[in-house]
Amino acid sequence: MAFALQYEENMHPVGEWFYSDDPFRDLRGANEPDPRHKWRVLSDGIQVGDIESELNTSSMKGRAGRVHNSKERRSRAITLTFDAWADSTYAFPMIRDFIYHVFDTNEPFYFYEDWRPKDQRPLDVAVNSKRYYMLKEDVEVVKLSPQKARATVELVTAELPYGISTGSTADIIEEGGITFTSGKFGWQEWLDFDEEKYDYRVQMDPGQTVRLYNPSTKKVKHFEACLHIVARDFSNIQSGYGLRITNQTNGTSMKIDREPAAGDTYEQRENIHWVNGLNETADDPGFIELETGWNELTIEGASALVDFLFHFYY
């Protein structure tokens, strides 16, 4: 790849070098450098900072200290430093200016942190495959020698301060199970080959409980992660009831008052409920959230085939 970055700071316990292949590939897109200029980039590493947060506290008369009311998570910073070499002093300005060009944007983009063993260069082999939604804060390119430059890129998260899996449960459904050869999931994300854990298209029937696994280290909160639920192929419809899907693990539920028909599609998507692609309002709609690990869910009002679509958060 034209703008592949190699990271040689972190080593596998058995001694293999690791690197991340083209972490700014979405940002770079089709902006290939002039092929007449040969150059390569090696990195010193990535520094992922802690999540900045603000505590909301108050005092209480007759009580020592402060009362902790809430904690607002805001953002986290990532700093990337890499060296670039040119084959000649004539090619150096092109590399320097191309680095500035790639990061010349005010729009958010995904930064991929997907480490791979150095001897497995293809993008379809990943040890860790997650990304962060970032904004560029600053880029500095310093000339170290006539043919060598050092670039430091400072980034800050644009929305959620968490790492997000490159793939989602939609990819798992499409591929018929979780795989580690697509570049969308890595085997160091607390994932394994247990087929029971990664079934996100489930048949739900009233009176029965289905178990859904969330491998994230963070709760999939509705207004943060936008859990997308699609229910269709309705049967055993209870007249006048509508539809309710409940996560019995934490008590959250999705409720649509309209009675479904066999060919309808009901969704929880983008902080809204939808019926056949149209916004559906309700007095108390509710939204489902997922705890980490196993969640137990039930359905009322009808049987349905239900997809639970979300990314994993770390």
Side-chain angles (χ1 to χ4, degrees):
M1 289 210 171
F3 197 54
L5 308 183
Q6 294 185 353
Y7 298 88
E8 295 195 335
E9 184 179 55
N10 294 330
M11 292 187 65
H12 189 275
V14 298
E16 292 186 28
W17 291 107
F18 273 61
Y19 79 108
S20 186
D21 196 339
D22 207 9
F24 297 105
R25 51 186 176 269
D26 285 359
L27 176 63
R28 177 173 55 82
N31 296 321
E32 302 287 347
D34 191 326
R36 293 174 299 175
H37 299 280
K38 297 180 180 180
W39 57 280
R40 61 193 178 93
V41 177
L42 297 175
S43 173
D44 293 327
I46 304 173
Q47 294 181 359
V48 179
D50 191 15
I51 297 175
E52 293 184 6
S53 59
E54 181 177 348
L55 295 177
N56 180 9
T57 63
S58 61
S59 60
M60 183 179 296
K61 188 175 181 179
R63 176 176 174 174
R66 306 286 293 178
V67 178
H68 177 212
N69 299 319
S70 64
K71 179 179 180 179
E72 179 184 354
R73 294 176 176 84
R74 293 190 168 182
S75 63
R76 78 192 311 168
I78 294 179
T79 301
L80 169 70
T81 303
F82 60 87
D83 294 341
W85 287 266
D87 285 352
S88 69
T89 55
Y90 303 103
F92 176 84
M94 178 267 174
I95 295 177
R96 177 202 61 208
D97 294 342
F98 182 72
I99 292 172
Y100 280 126
H101 164 70
V102 166
F103 295 101
D104 183 20
T105 178
N106 293 322
E107 298 297 322
F109 55 88
Y110 281 110
F111 166 83
Y112 292 83
E113 187 185 23
D114 44 3
W115 300 93
R116 293 167 169 78
K118 190 177 181 181
D119 61 350
Q120 297 178 358
R121 296 185 64 88
L123 277 172
D124 61 355
V125 179
V127 174
N128 185 303
S129 189
K130 66 177 183 294
R131 58 187 181 175
Y132 296 86
Y133 199 47
M134 310 297 295
L135 284 166
K136 180 209 75 175
E137 285 207 324
D138 187 54
V139 177
E140 181 181 28
V141 181
V142 178
K143 188 173 185 179
L144 299 181
S145 71
Q147 294 176 235
K148 182 179 180 181
R150 174 161 295 170
T152 301
V153 183
E154 295 182 1
L155 309 169
V156 64
T157 48
E159 294 178 356
L160 290 178
Y162 308 136
I164 308 169
S165 63
T166 302
S168 72
T169 58
D171 298 303
I172 295 175
I173 292 172
E174 181 179 351
E175 296 170 3
I178 193 164
T179 63
F180 301 100
T181 58
S182 64
K184 297 174 182 177
F185 299 99
W187 50 263
Q188 282 287 15
E189 296 172 37
W190 293 283
L191 306 176
D192 53 42
F193 294 99
D194 187 345
E195 295 181 1
E196 182 184 1
K197 288 182 177 180
Y198 308 108
D199 186 5
Y200 299 103
R201 172 171 289 169
V202 295
Q203 177 64 38
M204 299 189 70
D205 300 297
Q208 298 183 3
T209 299
V210 300
R211 302 179 75 219
L212 195 76
Y213 187 70
N214 172 23
S216 311
T217 58
K218 298 294 182 181
K219 180 178 179 178
V220 180
K221 296 183 179 180
H222 171 66
F223 287 102
E224 285 188 348
C226 291
L227 171 63
H228 184 188
I229 299 174
V230 183
R232 63 185 186 279
D233 296 344
F234 293 102
S235 62
N236 302 322
I237 300 169
Q238 182 179 343
S239 177
Y241 188 84
L243 183 77
R244 181 190 292 270
I245 300 175
T246 302
N247 185 351
Q248 300 292 343
T249 303
N250 57 21
T252 58
S253 66
M254 152 190 178
K255 183 178 183 296
I256 296 180
D257 294 330
R258 183 187 301 189
E259 178 184 316
D264 284 345
T265 299
Y266 284 17
E267 297 179 77
Q268 170 183 302
R269 172 171 53 90
E270 298 173 349
N271 303 326
I272 299 173
H273 286 170
W274 305 82
V275 174
N276 301 326
L278 299 177
N279 185 0
E280 180 72 11
T281 59
D283 294 335
D284 183 23
F287 296 97
I288 291 177
E289 298 181 346
L290 298 178
E291 300 293 327
T292 59
W294 287 104
N295 294 258
E296 296 188 344
L297 296 104
T298 58
I299 192 170
E300 299 172 79
S303 297
L305 184 66
V306 185
D307 290 352
F308 294 87
L309 309 175
F310 59 98
H311 289 266
F312 307 146
Y313 297 86
Y314 304 97

